[in-house]
PDB file of all heavy atoms in Angstrom:
ATOM      1  N   ILE A   1     -16.987  -8.611   0.349  1.00 92.00           N
ATOM      2  CA  ILE A   1     -18.203  -7.828   0.461  1.00 92.00           C
ATOM      3  C   ILE A   1     -17.960  -6.606  -0.447  1.00 92.00           C
ATOM      4  O   ILE A   1     -17.068  -5.779  -0.094  1.00 92.00           O
ATOM      5  CB  ILE A   1     -18.556  -7.432   1.836  1.00 92.00           C
ATOM      6  CG1 ILE A   1     -18.814  -8.692   2.689  1.00 92.00           C
ATOM      7  CG2 ILE A   1     -19.761  -6.501   1.860  1.00 92.00           C
ATOM      8  CD1 ILE A   1     -19.033  -8.470   4.141  1.00 92.00           C
ATOM      9  N   PRO A   2     -18.645  -6.439  -1.624  1.00 91.00           N
ATOM     10  CA  PRO A   2     -18.306  -5.445  -2.618  1.00 91.00           C
ATOM     11  C   PRO A   2     -18.422  -3.982  -2.092  1.00 91.00           C
ATOM     12  O   PRO A   2     -17.536  -3.213  -2.526  1.00 91.00           O
ATOM     13  CB  PRO A   2     -19.325  -5.659  -3.760  1.00 91.00           C
ATOM     14  CG  PRO A   2     -19.808  -7.067  -3.532  1.00 91.00           C
ATOM     15  CD  PRO A   2     -19.721  -7.403  -2.086  1.00 91.00           C
ATOM     16  N   VAL A   3     -19.327  -3.661  -1.167  1.00 92.00           N
ATOM     17  CA  VAL A   3     -19.434  -2.324  -0.746  1.00 92.00           C
ATOM     18  C   VAL A   3     -18.413  -1.904   0.309  1.00 92.00           C
ATOM     19  O   VAL A   3     -18.444  -0.647   0.625  1.00 92.00           O
ATOM     20  CB  VAL A   3     -20.962  -2.086  -0.259  1.00 92.00           C
ATOM     21  CG1 VAL A   3     -21.928  -2.247  -1.432  1.00 92.00           C
ATOM     22  CG2 VAL A   3     -21.255  -2.870   0.909  1.00 92.00           C
ATOM     23  N   MET A   4     -17.769  -2.822   0.780  1.00 92.00           N
ATOM     24  CA  MET A   4     -16.699  -2.459   1.837  1.00 92.00           C
ATOM     25  C   MET A   4     -15.420  -2.250   1.242  1.00 92.00           C
ATOM     26  O   MET A   4     -15.200  -2.576   0.122  1.00 92.00           O
ATOM     27  CB  MET A   4     -16.720  -3.625   2.906  1.00 92.00           C
ATOM     28  CG  MET A   4     -17.943  -3.752   3.699  1.00 92.00           C
ATOM     29  SD  MET A   4     -17.986  -5.124   4.838  1.00 92.00           S
ATOM     30  CE  MET A   4     -16.670  -4.748   5.994  1.00 92.00           C
ATOM     31  N   THR A   5     -14.513  -1.584   1.951  1.00 90.00           N
ATOM     32  CA  THR A   5     -13.177  -1.266   1.495  1.00 90.00           C
ATOM     33  C   THR A   5     -12.301  -2.494   1.559  1.00 90.00           C
ATOM     34  O   THR A   5     -12.562  -3.509   2.187  1.00 90.00           O
ATOM     35  CB  THR A   5     -12.496  -0.121   2.263  1.00 90.00           C
ATOM     36  OG1 THR A   5     -12.271  -0.567   3.629  1.00 90.00           O
ATOM     37  CG2 THR A   5     -13.396   1.070   2.271  1.00 90.00           C
ATOM     38  N   VAL A   6     -11.110  -2.417   0.961  1.00 91.00           N
ATOM     39  CA  VAL A   6     -10.133  -3.485   1.011  1.00 91.00           C
ATOM     40  C   VAL A   6      -9.778  -3.774   2.473  1.00 91.00           C
ATOM     41  O   VAL A   6      -9.777  -4.898   2.993  1.00 91.00           O
ATOM     42  CB  VAL A   6      -8.845  -3.075   0.239  1.00 91.00           C
ATOM     43  CG1 VAL A   6      -7.664  -3.980   0.547  1.00 91.00           C
ATOM     44  CG2 VAL A   6      -9.120  -3.048  -1.218  1.00 91.00           C
ATOM     45  N   ALA A   7      -9.431  -2.704   3.282  1.00 89.00           N
ATOM     46  CA  ALA A   7      -9.105  -2.920   4.689  1.00 89.00           C
ATOM     47  C   ALA A   7     -10.162  -3.486   5.413  1.00 89.00           C
ATOM     48  O   ALA A   7      -9.948  -4.359   6.343  1.00 89.00           O
ATOM     49  CB  ALA A   7      -8.612  -1.567   5.202  1.00 89.00           C
ATOM     50  N   GLU A   8     -11.405  -3.084   5.285  1.00 90.00           N
ATOM     51  CA  GLU A   8     -12.497  -3.516   6.001  1.00 90.00           C
ATOM     52  C   GLU A   8     -12.771  -5.066   5.744  1.00 90.00           C
ATOM     53  O   GLU A   8     -13.002  -5.799   6.675  1.00 90.00           O
ATOM     54  CB  GLU A   8     -13.786  -2.715   5.672  1.00 90.00           C
ATOM     55  CG  GLU A   8     -13.789  -1.383   6.182  1.00 90.00           C
ATOM     56  CD  GLU A   8     -14.858  -0.409   5.646  1.00 90.00           C
ATOM     57  OE1 GLU A   8     -15.467  -0.844   4.588  1.00 90.00           O
ATOM     58  OE2 GLU A   8     -15.138   0.578   6.228  1.00 90.00           O
ATOM     59  N   ASN A   9     -12.646  -5.462   4.484  1.00 92.00           N
ATOM     60  CA  ASN A   9     -12.739  -6.896   4.146  1.00 92.00           C
ATOM     61  C   ASN A   9     -11.690  -7.783   4.799  1.00 92.00           C
ATOM     62  O   ASN A   9     -11.868  -8.800   5.258  1.00 92.00           O
ATOM     63  CB  ASN A   9     -12.750  -7.097   2.631  1.00 92.00           C
ATOM     64  CG  ASN A   9     -14.069  -7.021   1.984  1.00 92.00           C
ATOM     65  OD1 ASN A   9     -14.894  -7.993   1.928  1.00 92.00           O
ATOM     66  ND2 ASN A   9     -14.418  -5.826   1.502  1.00 92.00           N
ATOM     67  N   ILE A  10     -10.420  -7.190   4.802  1.00 91.00           N
ATOM     68  CA  ILE A  10      -9.372  -7.985   5.299  1.00 91.00           C
ATOM     69  C   ILE A  10      -9.461  -8.212   6.832  1.00 91.00           C
ATOM     70  O   ILE A  10      -9.191  -9.304   7.291  1.00 91.00           O
ATOM     71  CB  ILE A  10      -7.979  -7.299   5.032  1.00 91.00           C
ATOM     72  CG1 ILE A  10      -7.766  -7.418   3.500  1.00 91.00           C
ATOM     73  CG2 ILE A  10      -6.810  -7.897   5.769  1.00 91.00           C
ATOM     74  CD1 ILE A  10      -6.551  -6.528   2.956  1.00 91.00           C
ATOM     75  N   VAL A  11      -9.839  -7.197   7.587  1.00 89.00           N
ATOM     76  CA  VAL A  11      -9.892  -7.364   9.041  1.00 89.00           C
ATOM     77  C   VAL A  11     -11.309  -7.822   9.554  1.00 89.00           C
ATOM     78  O   VAL A  11     -11.478  -7.967  10.736  1.00 89.00           O
ATOM     79  CB  VAL A  11      -9.585  -6.027   9.724  1.00 89.00           C
ATOM     80  CG1 VAL A  11      -8.233  -5.506   9.214  1.00 89.00           C
ATOM     81  CG2 VAL A  11     -10.602  -4.987   9.482  1.00 89.00           C
ATOM     82  N   LEU A  12     -12.241  -7.974   8.671  1.00 89.00           N
ATOM     83  CA  LEU A  12     -13.604  -8.362   9.069  1.00 89.00           C
ATOM     84  C   LEU A  12     -13.567  -9.625  10.003  1.00 89.00           C
ATOM     85  O   LEU A  12     -12.966 -10.649   9.673  1.00 89.00           O
ATOM     86  CB  LEU A  12     -14.501  -8.690   7.845  1.00 89.00           C
ATOM     87  CG  LEU A  12     -15.937  -8.974   8.094  1.00 89.00           C
ATOM     88  CD1 LEU A  12     -16.655  -7.701   8.645  1.00 89.00           C
ATOM     89  CD2 LEU A  12     -16.685  -9.339   6.784  1.00 89.00           C
ATOM     90  N   ALA A  13     -14.266  -9.470  11.156  1.00 80.00           N
ATOM     91  CA  ALA A  13     -14.373 -10.509  12.153  1.00 80.00           C
ATOM     92  C   ALA A  13     -13.122 -10.664  12.944  1.00 80.00           C
ATOM     93  O   ALA A  13     -12.936 -11.546  13.756  1.00 80.00           O
ATOM     94  CB  ALA A  13     -14.853 -11.854  11.574  1.00 80.00           C
ATOM     95  N   ASN A  14     -12.066  -9.840  12.678  1.00 80.00           N
ATOM     96  CA  ASN A  14     -10.823  -9.866  13.416  1.00 80.00           C
ATOM     97  C   ASN A  14     -10.253  -8.473  13.536  1.00 80.00           C
ATOM     98  O   ASN A  14      -9.125  -8.196  13.276  1.00 80.00           O
ATOM     99  CB  ASN A  14      -9.877 -10.768  12.612  1.00 80.00           C
ATOM    100  CG  ASN A  14      -8.891 -11.519  13.446  1.00 80.00           C
ATOM    101  OD1 ASN A  14      -8.849 -11.368  14.717  1.00 80.00           O
ATOM    102  ND2 ASN A  14      -8.013 -12.342  12.859  1.00 80.00           N
ATOM    103  N   GLU A  15     -11.173  -7.504  13.774  1.00 79.00           N
ATOM    104  CA  GLU A  15     -10.870  -6.107  13.765  1.00 79.00           C
ATOM    105  C   GLU A  15      -9.974  -5.689  14.970  1.00 79.00           C
ATOM    106  O   GLU A  15     -10.188  -6.116  16.122  1.00 79.00           O
ATOM    107  CB  GLU A  15     -12.107  -5.286  13.780  1.00 79.00           C
ATOM    108  CG  GLU A  15     -13.006  -5.465  12.578  1.00 79.00           C
ATOM    109  CD  GLU A  15     -14.053  -6.602  12.849  1.00 79.00           C
ATOM    110  OE1 GLU A  15     -13.870  -7.363  13.824  1.00 79.00           O
ATOM    111  OE2 GLU A  15     -15.055  -6.678  12.068  1.00 79.00           O
ATOM    112  N   PRO A  16      -8.949  -4.851  14.686  1.00 79.00           N
ATOM    113  CA  PRO A  16      -8.205  -4.339  15.849  1.00 79.00           C
ATOM    114  C   PRO A  16      -9.013  -3.232  16.567  1.00 79.00           C
ATOM    115  O   PRO A  16      -9.874  -2.537  15.966  1.00 79.00           O
ATOM    116  CB  PRO A  16      -6.990  -3.641  15.111  1.00 79.00           C
ATOM    117  CG  PRO A  16      -7.449  -3.305  13.702  1.00 79.00           C
ATOM    118  CD  PRO A  16      -8.474  -4.386  13.420  1.00 79.00           C
ATOM    119  N   VAL A  17      -8.798  -3.165  17.856  1.00 76.00           N
ATOM    120  CA  VAL A  17      -9.553  -2.236  18.652  1.00 76.00           C
ATOM    121  C   VAL A  17      -8.601  -1.363  19.525  1.00 76.00           C
ATOM    122  O   VAL A  17      -7.400  -1.801  19.749  1.00 76.00           O
ATOM    123  CB  VAL A  17     -10.554  -2.954  19.596  1.00 76.00           C
ATOM    124  CG1 VAL A  17     -11.606  -3.659  18.786  1.00 76.00           C
ATOM    125  CG2 VAL A  17      -9.890  -4.003  20.478  1.00 76.00           C
ATOM    126  N   ARG A  18      -9.118  -0.232  19.990  1.00 75.00           N
ATOM    127  CA  ARG A  18      -8.372   0.557  20.971  1.00 75.00           C
ATOM    128  C   ARG A  18      -9.252   0.877  22.115  1.00 75.00           C
ATOM    129  O   ARG A  18     -10.485   0.973  21.944  1.00 75.00           O
ATOM    130  CB  ARG A  18      -7.790   1.825  20.293  1.00 75.00           C
ATOM    131  CG  ARG A  18      -8.839   2.670  19.519  1.00 75.00           C
ATOM    132  CD  ARG A  18      -8.208   3.820  18.767  1.00 75.00           C
ATOM    133  NE  ARG A  18      -9.073   4.423  17.888  1.00 75.00           N
ATOM    134  CZ  ARG A  18      -9.910   5.484  18.147  1.00 75.00           C
ATOM    135  NH1 ARG A  18      -9.918   5.939  19.394  1.00 75.00           N
ATOM    136  NH2 ARG A  18     -10.703   5.947  17.275  1.00 75.00           N
ATOM    137  N   GLU A  19      -8.665   1.005  23.261  1.00 70.00           N
ATOM    138  CA  GLU A  19      -9.409   1.225  24.484  1.00 70.00           C
ATOM    139  C   GLU A  19     -10.392   0.100  24.791  1.00 70.00           C
ATOM    140  O   GLU A  19     -11.410   0.275  25.355  1.00 70.00           O
ATOM    141  CB  GLU A  19     -10.103   2.556  24.474  1.00 70.00           C
ATOM    142  CG  GLU A  19      -9.152   3.761  24.369  1.00 70.00           C
ATOM    143  CD  GLU A  19      -9.875   5.094  24.279  1.00 70.00           C
ATOM    144  OE1 GLU A  19     -11.068   5.097  24.496  1.00 70.00           O
ATOM    145  OE2 GLU A  19      -9.237   6.059  23.968  1.00 70.00           O
ATOM    146  N   GLY A  20     -10.042  -1.079  24.122  1.00 67.00           N
ATOM    147  CA  GLY A  20     -10.940  -2.292  24.427  1.00 67.00           C
ATOM    148  C   GLY A  20     -12.152  -2.424  23.643  1.00 67.00           C
ATOM    149  O   GLY A  20     -12.605  -3.568  23.490  1.00 67.00           O
ATOM    150  N   VAL A  21     -12.660  -1.375  23.065  1.00 71.00           N
ATOM    151  CA  VAL A  21     -14.010  -1.469  22.400  1.00 71.00           C
ATOM    152  C   VAL A  21     -14.058  -0.774  21.110  1.00 71.00           C
ATOM    153  O   VAL A  21     -14.862  -1.142  20.212  1.00 71.00           O
ATOM    154  CB  VAL A  21     -15.155  -0.971  23.311  1.00 71.00           C
ATOM    155  CG1 VAL A  21     -15.312  -1.853  24.528  1.00 71.00           C
ATOM    156  CG2 VAL A  21     -14.833   0.481  23.722  1.00 71.00           C
ATOM    157  N   LEU A  22     -13.235   0.274  20.833  1.00 74.00           N
ATOM    158  CA  LEU A  22     -13.401   1.101  19.650  1.00 74.00           C
ATOM    159  C   LEU A  22     -12.597   0.504  18.455  1.00 74.00           C
ATOM    160  O   LEU A  22     -11.398   0.113  18.688  1.00 74.00           O
ATOM    161  CB  LEU A  22     -12.851   2.539  19.938  1.00 74.00           C
ATOM    162  CG  LEU A  22     -13.605   3.273  21.009  1.00 74.00           C
ATOM    163  CD1 LEU A  22     -12.964   4.621  21.294  1.00 74.00           C
ATOM    164  CD2 LEU A  22     -15.073   3.451  20.656  1.00 74.00           C
ATOM    165  N   LEU A  23     -13.232   0.428  17.308  1.00 76.00           N
ATOM    166  CA  LEU A  23     -12.528  -0.080  16.139  1.00 76.00           C
ATOM    167  C   LEU A  23     -11.390   0.827  15.806  1.00 76.00           C
ATOM    168  O   LEU A  23     -11.577   2.069  15.678  1.00 76.00           O
ATOM    169  CB  LEU A  23     -13.496  -0.140  14.954  1.00 76.00           C
ATOM    170  CG  LEU A  23     -14.659  -1.227  15.099  1.00 76.00           C
ATOM    171  CD1 LEU A  23     -15.535  -1.147  13.930  1.00 76.00           C
ATOM    172  CD2 LEU A  23     -14.053  -2.609  15.275  1.00 76.00           C
ATOM    173  N   ASP A  24     -10.272   0.323  15.563  1.00 82.00           N
ATOM    174  CA  ASP A  24      -9.063   1.026  15.164  1.00 82.00           C
ATOM    175  C   ASP A  24      -8.686   0.838  13.739  1.00 82.00           C
ATOM    176  O   ASP A  24      -7.836   0.055  13.382  1.00 82.00           O
ATOM    177  CB  ASP A  24      -7.853   0.635  16.095  1.00 82.00           C
ATOM    178  CG  ASP A  24      -6.671   1.565  15.927  1.00 82.00           C
ATOM    179  OD1 ASP A  24      -6.686   2.422  15.037  1.00 82.00           O
ATOM    180  OD2 ASP A  24      -5.788   1.482  16.802  1.00 82.00           O
ATOM    181  N   PHE A  25      -9.412   1.540  12.857  1.00 78.00           N
ATOM    182  CA  PHE A  25      -9.203   1.376  11.446  1.00 78.00           C
ATOM    183  C   PHE A  25      -7.884   1.892  10.989  1.00 78.00           C
ATOM    184  O   PHE A  25      -7.296   1.457   9.915  1.00 78.00           O
ATOM    185  CB  PHE A  25     -10.301   1.996  10.571  1.00 78.00           C
ATOM    186  CG  PHE A  25     -11.559   1.156  10.518  1.00 78.00           C
ATOM    187  CD1 PHE A  25     -12.698   1.492  11.230  1.00 78.00           C
ATOM    188  CD2 PHE A  25     -11.532   0.025   9.770  1.00 78.00           C
ATOM    189  CE1 PHE A  25     -13.768   0.641  11.197  1.00 78.00           C
ATOM    190  CE2 PHE A  25     -12.661  -0.814   9.714  1.00 78.00           C
ATOM    191  CZ  PHE A  25     -13.786  -0.486  10.417  1.00 78.00           C
ATOM    192  N   ALA A  26      -7.274   2.860  11.662  1.00 83.00           N
ATOM    193  CA  ALA A  26      -5.942   3.327  11.336  1.00 83.00           C
ATOM    194  C   ALA A  26      -4.966   2.162  11.492  1.00 83.00           C
ATOM    195  O   ALA A  26      -4.088   1.977  10.619  1.00 83.00           O
ATOM    196  CB  ALA A  26      -5.579   4.509  12.212  1.00 83.00           C
ATOM    197  N   ALA A  27      -5.116   1.499  12.575  1.00 85.00           N
ATOM    198  CA  ALA A  27      -4.207   0.307  12.786  1.00 85.00           C
ATOM    199  C   ALA A  27      -4.407  -0.783  11.698  1.00 85.00           C
ATOM    200  O   ALA A  27      -3.426  -1.359  11.221  1.00 85.00           O
ATOM    201  CB  ALA A  27      -4.396  -0.288  14.217  1.00 85.00           C
ATOM    202  N   ALA A  28      -5.708  -1.034  11.370  1.00 82.00           N
ATOM    203  CA  ALA A  28      -6.011  -1.988  10.311  1.00 82.00           C
ATOM    204  C   ALA A  28      -5.386  -1.625   9.041  1.00 82.00           C
ATOM    205  O   ALA A  28      -4.740  -2.453   8.402  1.00 82.00           O
ATOM    206  CB  ALA A  28      -7.518  -2.093  10.174  1.00 82.00           C
ATOM    207  N   GLU A  29      -5.523  -0.305   8.605  1.00 82.00           N
ATOM    208  CA  GLU A  29      -4.993   0.006   7.314  1.00 82.00           C
ATOM    209  C   GLU A  29      -3.449  -0.016   7.332  1.00 82.00           C
ATOM    210  O   GLU A  29      -2.762  -0.354   6.324  1.00 82.00           O
ATOM    211  CB  GLU A  29      -5.460   1.461   6.996  1.00 82.00           C
ATOM    212  CG  GLU A  29      -6.925   1.444   6.633  1.00 82.00           C
ATOM    213  CD  GLU A  29      -7.466   2.868   6.389  1.00 82.00           C
ATOM    214  OE1 GLU A  29      -6.784   3.900   6.691  1.00 82.00           O
ATOM    215  OE2 GLU A  29      -8.662   3.026   5.999  1.00 82.00           O
ATOM    216  N   ALA A  30      -2.837   0.358   8.495  1.00 85.00           N
ATOM    217  CA  ALA A  30      -1.384   0.262   8.615  1.00 85.00           C
ATOM    218  C   ALA A  30      -0.926  -1.181   8.469  1.00 85.00           C
ATOM    219  O   ALA A  30       0.111  -1.431   7.794  1.00 85.00           O
ATOM    220  CB  ALA A  30      -0.887   0.897   9.935  1.00 85.00           C
ATOM    221  N   ARG A  31      -1.592  -2.128   9.162  1.00 84.00           N
ATOM    222  CA  ARG A  31      -1.290  -3.549   9.086  1.00 84.00           C
ATOM    223  C   ARG A  31      -1.384  -4.039   7.593  1.00 84.00           C
ATOM    224  O   ARG A  31      -0.564  -4.792   7.136  1.00 84.00           O
ATOM    225  CB  ARG A  31      -2.147  -4.343   9.975  1.00 84.00           C
ATOM    226  CG  ARG A  31      -2.038  -5.817   9.895  1.00 84.00           C
ATOM    227  CD  ARG A  31      -0.703  -6.308  10.399  1.00 84.00           C
ATOM    228  NE  ARG A  31      -0.684  -7.724  10.554  1.00 84.00           N
ATOM    229  CZ  ARG A  31       0.399  -8.477  10.376  1.00 84.00           C
ATOM    230  NH1 ARG A  31       1.552  -7.947  10.078  1.00 84.00           N
ATOM    231  NH2 ARG A  31       0.332  -9.819  10.500  1.00 84.00           N
ATOM    232  N   VAL A  32      -2.477  -3.589   6.995  1.00 85.00           N
ATOM    233  CA  VAL A  32      -2.714  -4.082   5.584  1.00 85.00           C
ATOM    234  C   VAL A  32      -1.607  -3.507   4.599  1.00 85.00           C
ATOM    235  O   VAL A  32      -1.069  -4.242   3.795  1.00 85.00           O
ATOM    236  CB  VAL A  32      -4.117  -3.661   5.048  1.00 85.00           C
ATOM    237  CG1 VAL A  32      -4.238  -3.846   3.576  1.00 85.00           C
ATOM    238  CG2 VAL A  32      -5.224  -4.432   5.811  1.00 85.00           C
ATOM    239  N   ALA A  33      -1.215  -2.310   4.883  1.00 86.00           N
ATOM    240  CA  ALA A  33      -0.178  -1.667   3.983  1.00 86.00           C
ATOM    241  C   ALA A  33       1.151  -2.342   4.318  1.00 86.00           C
ATOM    242  O   ALA A  33       1.949  -2.686   3.392  1.00 86.00           O
ATOM    243  CB  ALA A  33      -0.092  -0.165   4.403  1.00 86.00           C
ATOM    244  N   GLU A  34       1.421  -2.810   5.543  1.00 87.00           N
ATOM    245  CA  GLU A  34       2.688  -3.465   5.853  1.00 87.00           C
ATOM    246  C   GLU A  34       2.712  -4.887   5.241  1.00 87.00           C
ATOM    247  O   GLU A  34       3.764  -5.271   4.641  1.00 87.00           O
ATOM    248  CB  GLU A  34       2.767  -3.622   7.398  1.00 87.00           C
ATOM    249  CG  GLU A  34       4.078  -4.284   7.870  1.00 87.00           C
ATOM    250  CD  GLU A  34       4.119  -5.728   8.058  1.00 87.00           C
ATOM    251  OE1 GLU A  34       3.015  -6.261   8.380  1.00 87.00           O
ATOM    252  OE2 GLU A  34       5.109  -6.383   7.716  1.00 87.00           O
ATOM    253  N   LEU A  35       1.576  -5.629   5.238  1.00 88.00           N
ATOM    254  CA  LEU A  35       1.532  -6.923   4.614  1.00 88.00           C
ATOM    255  C   LEU A  35       1.680  -6.782   3.043  1.00 88.00           C
ATOM    256  O   LEU A  35       2.363  -7.604   2.442  1.00 88.00           O
ATOM    257  CB  LEU A  35       0.263  -7.609   4.951  1.00 88.00           C
ATOM    258  CG  LEU A  35       0.132  -8.148   6.375  1.00 88.00           C
ATOM    259  CD1 LEU A  35      -1.299  -8.639   6.666  1.00 88.00           C
ATOM    260  CD2 LEU A  35       1.079  -9.304   6.600  1.00 88.00           C
ATOM    261  N   SER A  36       1.028  -5.719   2.532  1.00 87.00           N
ATOM    262  CA  SER A  36       1.051  -5.534   1.060  1.00 87.00           C
ATOM    263  C   SER A  36       2.592  -5.276   0.632  1.00 87.00           C
ATOM    264  O   SER A  36       2.989  -5.852  -0.377  1.00 87.00           O
ATOM    265  CB  SER A  36       0.271  -4.301   0.664  1.00 87.00           C
ATOM    266  OG  SER A  36      -1.122  -4.447   0.991  1.00 87.00           O
ATOM    267  N   SER A  37       3.226  -4.525   1.361  1.00 87.00           N
ATOM    268  CA  SER A  37       4.618  -4.237   1.044  1.00 87.00           C
ATOM    269  C   SER A  37       5.526  -5.420   1.188  1.00 87.00           C
ATOM    270  O   SER A  37       6.355  -5.710   0.342  1.00 87.00           O
ATOM    271  CB  SER A  37       5.176  -3.002   1.891  1.00 87.00           C
ATOM    272  OG  SER A  37       6.506  -2.793   1.676  1.00 87.00           O
ATOM    273  N   ARG A  38       5.389  -6.129   2.269  1.00 86.00           N
ATOM    274  CA  ARG A  38       6.242  -7.300   2.519  1.00 86.00           C
ATOM    275  C   ARG A  38       6.085  -8.392   1.484  1.00 86.00           C
ATOM    276  O   ARG A  38       7.115  -8.951   1.088  1.00 86.00           O
ATOM    277  CB  ARG A  38       5.904  -7.831   3.924  1.00 86.00           C
ATOM    278  CG  ARG A  38       6.959  -8.937   4.319  1.00 86.00           C
ATOM    279  CD  ARG A  38       6.514  -9.848   5.461  1.00 86.00           C
ATOM    280  NE  ARG A  38       6.008  -9.094   6.591  1.00 86.00           N
ATOM    281  CZ  ARG A  38       5.443  -9.708   7.652  1.00 86.00           C
ATOM    282  NH1 ARG A  38       5.351 -10.994   7.675  1.00 86.00           N
ATOM    283  NH2 ARG A  38       4.988  -9.000   8.641  1.00 86.00           N
ATOM    284  N   TYR A  39       4.920  -8.646   1.030  1.00 86.00           N
ATOM    285  CA  TYR A  39       4.719  -9.770   0.158  1.00 86.00           C
ATOM    286  C   TYR A  39       4.491  -9.353  -1.295  1.00 86.00           C
ATOM    287  O   TYR A  39       4.153 -10.244  -2.191  1.00 86.00           O
ATOM    288  CB  TYR A  39       3.512 -10.626   0.586  1.00 86.00           C
ATOM    289  CG  TYR A  39       3.749 -11.336   1.928  1.00 86.00           C
ATOM    290  CD1 TYR A  39       3.204 -10.844   3.110  1.00 86.00           C
ATOM    291  CD2 TYR A  39       4.660 -12.393   2.057  1.00 86.00           C
ATOM    292  CE1 TYR A  39       3.401 -11.413   4.359  1.00 86.00           C
ATOM    293  CE2 TYR A  39       4.921 -12.989   3.271  1.00 86.00           C
ATOM    294  CZ  TYR A  39       4.313 -12.526   4.408  1.00 86.00           C
ATOM    295  OH  TYR A  39       4.552 -13.103   5.626  1.00 86.00           O
ATOM    296  N   GLY A  40       4.609  -8.101  -1.613  1.00 85.00           N
ATOM    297  CA  GLY A  40       4.437  -7.644  -3.015  1.00 85.00           C
ATOM    298  C   GLY A  40       2.977  -7.659  -3.484  1.00 85.00           C
ATOM    299  O   GLY A  40       2.711  -7.909  -4.640  1.00 85.00           O
ATOM    300  N   LEU A  41       2.035  -7.468  -2.575  1.00 87.00           N
ATOM    301  CA  LEU A  41       0.632  -7.517  -2.793  1.00 87.00           C
ATOM    302  C   LEU A  41       0.069  -6.131  -2.853  1.00 87.00           C
ATOM    303  O   LEU A  41      -0.709  -5.726  -1.987  1.00 87.00           O
ATOM    304  CB  LEU A  41      -0.100  -8.376  -1.768  1.00 87.00           C
ATOM    305  CG  LEU A  41       0.153  -9.936  -1.880  1.00 87.00           C
ATOM    306  CD1 LEU A  41      -0.068 -10.541  -0.579  1.00 87.00           C
ATOM    307  CD2 LEU A  41      -0.690 -10.531  -2.941  1.00 87.00           C
TER     308      LEU A  41
END
């Protein structure tokens, strides 16, 4: 989806949440950064 960020596209339909309902974009971005580093992406 062009208008969304890299992290938003990656976690779309599989978003991390906190307190059961709130989207946790900090966790999403951290997970994306970890995967990027591990696989050279």
Side-chain angles (χ1 to χ4, degrees):
I1 300 175
V3 297
M4 293 175 65
T5 67
V6 166
E8 289 167 345
N9 269 277
I10 290 171
V11 305
L12 187 63
N14 214 357
E15 299 90 345
V17 296
R18 51 188 169 86
E19 300 178 10
V21 293
L22 299 176
L23 294 178
D24 191 347
F25 278 109
E29 291 176 351
R31 172 70 171 149
V32 170
E34 186 267 325
L35 287 171
S36 298
S37 175
R38 187 197 310 176
Y39 295 107
L41 290 155

